[in-house]
């Protein structure tokens, strides 16, 4: 059982993705933010923070573990990792790896839309299985688990949710985005150099 | 055992390794208690080997010195993560990989058969530690790879693994 269950009732529609990200954008201070797939499409349009790391191209399923490595390396910083639901399904074991690591400074936010956007919107297996990502996170031992499907509720409770004891798992039920257009924010080597400079590890 | 636990720990400590990210096999498993006993090394346990490469990438970006420790079968499993961090992110990560079946005469183990061809296909610079006398090659290869800014692997020969 999780210690801090902040789940709200889910609806099928889900909240619009960009406003959901904007909620976090308003709360973000000096946290490291790791994005991938759908979040890496939209977050860079909203944020130009030097501690953003857009884990693209072709890193589907890997973002939580990159974020965990950063969290272990930088225990004085908070790390926020966005992950898609399809990404999450590729590496469910990493939920256990996170909690086993002892890292407290990590927030894993899963954007659940039920489809693989990058390949044209095919359904993930989670829908047919009626999989409950928040329940999986609870079972994996996350200290705090929250789930939101309503933008107003997420807006109202986001700050409190991010202040819960870590590691935290936040499920955001989001609406599908019809057009998938993921543009690289630039050469990886240059992005890594900027990111390391911002971290002070370059 | 070609690399006893105290030797891998002293070697890792001497190289300044901060984190050992691992999923052991039966030959590497006996290292666990010595790794846990080290004051200089943090042990990070993963559920699948692909996680190990990516955690190591995050650790290195964050200023630490990780060492990945997995079996060759885990290297096969972790291909996409390995590809991503070594070739897209171009991080000079280093791994100690248990070479299952190498010490078994006439082994027909497919893990034995494909390990070196796969490393060569990836273009990963590796050394083979197939006897206790070859143990110093691990540290030498690590230092050479770090100096050159490239990824590297030390294959540690095993029996059935």
């Amino acid at each position: 059982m999780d210690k801090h269950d902040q789940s709200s009732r889910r609806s099928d529609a889900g909240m619009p993705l960009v406003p959901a990200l904007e909620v976090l954008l308003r709360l973000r201070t000096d946290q490291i933010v790791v994005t991938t797939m759908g979040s890496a499409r939209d977050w860079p349009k909203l944020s130009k923070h030097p501690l953003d790391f857009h884990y693209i191209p072709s890193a589907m399923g890997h973002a939580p573990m990159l974020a965990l490595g950063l969290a272990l390396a930088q225990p004085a910083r908070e790390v926020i990792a966005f992950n898609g639901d399809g990404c999450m399904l590729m590496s469910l074991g990493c939920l256990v790896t996170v909690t086993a690591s002892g890292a407290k400074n990590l927030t894993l936010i899963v954007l659940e839309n039920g489809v693989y956007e990058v390949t044209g919107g095919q359904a993930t297996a989670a829908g047919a299985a009626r999989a409950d990502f928040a329940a999986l996170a609870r079972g994996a031992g996350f200290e705090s688990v929250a789930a939101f499907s309503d933008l107003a509720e997420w807006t109202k409770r986001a700050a409190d949710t991010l202040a819960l004891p870590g590691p935290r798992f936040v499920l955001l039920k989001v609406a599908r985005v019809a057009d998938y257009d993921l543009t690289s924010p630039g050469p990886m080597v240059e992005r890594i150099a900027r990111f390391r400079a911002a971290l002070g590890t370059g | 055992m070609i690399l006893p636990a105290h030797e891998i720990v002293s070697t890792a400590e001497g190289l300044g390794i901060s984190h050992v990210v691992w999923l052991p096999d039966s030959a590497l498993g006996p290292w666990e208690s010595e790794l846990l006993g080290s004051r200089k090394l943090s042990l990070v346990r993963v559920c699948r080997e692909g996680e190990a490469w990516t955690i190591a990438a995050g650790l290195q970006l964050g200023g630490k010195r990780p060492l990945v420790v997995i079996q060759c079968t885990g290297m096969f499993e972790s291909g996409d993560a390995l590809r991503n961090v070594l070739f897209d992110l171009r991080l000079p990560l280093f791994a100690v990989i248990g070479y299952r079946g190498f010490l078994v005469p006439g082994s027909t183990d497919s893990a034995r058969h494909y390990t070196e061809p796969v490393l060569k296909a990836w273009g990963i610079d590796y050394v083979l530690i197939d006897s206790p006398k070859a143990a110093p090659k691990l540290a030498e290869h690590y230092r050479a790879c770090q100096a050159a800014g490239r990824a590297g692997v030390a294959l540690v020969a095993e029996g059935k693994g």
Side-chain angles (χ1 to χ4, degrees):
Chain A
M1 293 291 289
D2 61 306
K3 290 83 173 175
H4 303 277
D5 191 336
Q6 298 287 305
S7 300
S8 67
R9 293 185 64 183
R10 293 165 56 186
S11 71
D12 290 333
M15 65 185 93
L17 175 59
V18 170
L21 296 178
E22 287 173 335
V23 171
L24 195 71
L25 187 71
R26 290 192 289 272
L27 296 171
R28 193 263 187 92
T29 54
D30 60 351
Q31 300 96 328
I32 295 169
V33 173
V34 178
T35 67
T36 190
M37 309 307 284
S39 59
R41 172 195 57 209
D42 292 310
W43 186 261
K45 297 173 185 172
L46 305 171
S47 168
K48 302 297 180 190
H49 198 291
L51 290 176
D52 288 341
F53 189 81
H54 307 301
Y55 198 10
I56 52 174
S58 192
M60 189 171 180
H62 303 314
M65 294 296 89
L66 189 88
L68 176 60
L70 287 164
L72 292 170
Q74 300 270 325
R77 290 184 188 274
E78 283 290 331
V79 180
I80 296 170
F82 285 110
N83 210 25
D85 49 351
C87 296
M88 196 71 253
L89 290 170
M90 284 188 168
S91 55
L92 284 174
C94 79
L95 295 172
V96 174
T97 302
V98 167
T99 58
S101 75
K104 305 294 184 189
N105 55 328
L106 178 64
T107 301
L108 175 56
I109 300 178
V110 171
L111 305 169
E112 183 184 12
N113 62 12
V115 298
Y116 296 107
E117 280 183 346
V118 68
T119 55
Q122 300 85 3
T124 70
R130 298 184 180 179
D132 182 337
F133 288 98
L136 289 166
R138 289 186 194 103
F142 269 73
E143 187 72 17
S144 302
V145 177
F148 300 96
S149 58
D150 178 74
L151 180 61
E153 188 73 4
W154 165 233
T155 303
K156 178 180 174 184
R157 293 167 59 184
D160 289 343
T161 300
L162 294 176
L164 292 170
R168 305 164 206 92
F169 181 93
V170 181
L171 181 71
L172 299 182
K173 179 84 171 179
V174 297
R176 302 172 186 179
V177 176
D179 297 320
Y180 189 84
D181 180 21
L182 180 56
T183 304
S184 171
M188 179 61 85
V189 172
E190 293 175 15
R191 288 192 280 133
I192 285 177
R194 285 197 299 270
F195 183 65
R196 279 181 157 154
L199 278 177
T201 63
Chain B
M1 181 177 290
I2 287 176
L3 271 180
H6 67 84
E7 187 162 351
I8 189 70
V9 169
S10 63
T11 298
E13 289 179 345
L15 292 170
I17 298 296
S18 60
H19 294 75
V20 174
V21 190
W22 89 329
L23 206 168
D25 63 9
S26 54
L28 307 176
W31 294 353
E32 184 176 48
S33 60
E34 293 262 0
L35 289 167
L36 287 170
S38 170
R39 293 181 179 179
K40 297 180 179 177
L41 304 174
S42 295
L43 190 64
V44 182
R45 297 180 174 90
V46 300
C47 298
R48 291 287 282 180
E49 291 86 349
E51 298 174 9
W53 293 100
T54 317
I55 291 172
L59 284 163
Q60 192 162 88
L61 288 173
K64 299 299 183 183
R65 284 191 172 200
L67 177 68
V68 172
V69 178
I70 55 178
Q71 195 190 52
C72 56
T73 52
M75 177 186 72
F76 302 142
E77 186 281 330
S78 62
D80 187 56
L82 178 161
R83 174 201 58 74
N84 187 277
V85 299
L86 300 193
F87 300 107
D88 287 348
L89 273 60
R90 300 185 195 179
L91 296 176
L93 300 176
F94 196 91
V96 171
I97 297 180
Y99 195 171
R100 192 178 82 182
F102 184 85
L103 298 173
V104 178
S107 171
T108 57
D109 184 349
S110 61
R112 161 77 176 83
H113 182 73
Y114 286 109
T115 293
E116 289 186 74
V118 166
L119 282 168
K120 289 174 182 171
W122 285 115
I124 297 173
D125 191 3
Y126 71 92
V127 293
L128 174 61
I129 299 171
D130 57 357
S131 71
K133 285 185 179 178
K137 289 201 293 187
L138 195 162
E140 292 165 11
H141 190 50
Y142 178 88
R143 290 193 182 98
C145 288
Q146 292 296 295
R150 65 172 180 265
V153 162
L155 285 176
V156 179
E158 298 177 349
K160 292 180 179 178

